[in-house]
């Protein structure tokens, strides 16, 4: 299981989740190349430890446990994984 960043992050990208993630698996961070160009942030499914900190911190409820992704946002699971080279 992993957490996934979905549609509500688009246009927000405030990086509150980056600050609280204990394993630094959310990218690109504001310090990394590509942050400005990224439509939204992504969670590395290989690194996420399912701690729920990002979901608690996110002001727009964009972080979901994989199994709780709304049906109309299921594509974001692949979008997040693909950012890191695929699942
Ligand atoms: S659930 Fe925890 S480990 Fe996974 S992305 Fe969110 S803050 Fe990071
Ligand atoms: S806290 Fe939420 S809105 Fe902000 S960057 Fe993370 S997922 Fe996007």
């Amino acid at each position: 299981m992993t957490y996934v960043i979905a549609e509500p992050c688009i246009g927000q990208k405030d990086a509150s989740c980056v600050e609280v993630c204990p394993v630094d698996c959310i990218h690109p961070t504001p310090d990394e190349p590509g942050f400005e160009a990224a439509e939204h942030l992504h969670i590395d499914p290989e690194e996420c430890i399912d701690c729920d900190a990002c979901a608690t911190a996110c002001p727009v409820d964009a972080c979901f446990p994989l199994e709780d992704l709304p049906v109309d946002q299921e594509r974001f699971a692949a979008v997040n994984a693909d950012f890191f080279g695929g699942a």
Side-chain angles (χ1 to χ4, degrees):
M1 208 265 280
T2 183
Y3 275 59
V4 173
I5 293 177
E7 193 162 25
C9 183
I10 297 173
Q12 296 292 330
K13 242 172 57 177
D14 70 321
S16 299
C17 53
V18 172
E19 293 179 21
V20 299
C21 180
V23 294
D24 297 329
C25 69
I26 302 173
H27 300 278
T29 70
D31 296 334
E32 290 174 336
F35 178 78
E36 293 300 327
E39 194 173 33
H40 57 82
L41 302 194
H42 310 79
I43 291 171
D44 186 339
E46 300 290 325
E47 300 294 331
C48 175
I49 59 170
D50 310 330
C51 73
D52 200 54
C54 54
T56 301
C58 182
V60 293
D61 295 332
C63 304
F64 297 90
L66 182 57
E67 73 268 22
D68 290 344
L69 260 180
V71 172
D72 65 350
Q73 298 188 48
E74 286 180 346
R75 71 184 180 88
F76 282 90
V79 170
N80 278 244
D82 287 350
F83 181 81
F84 300 97

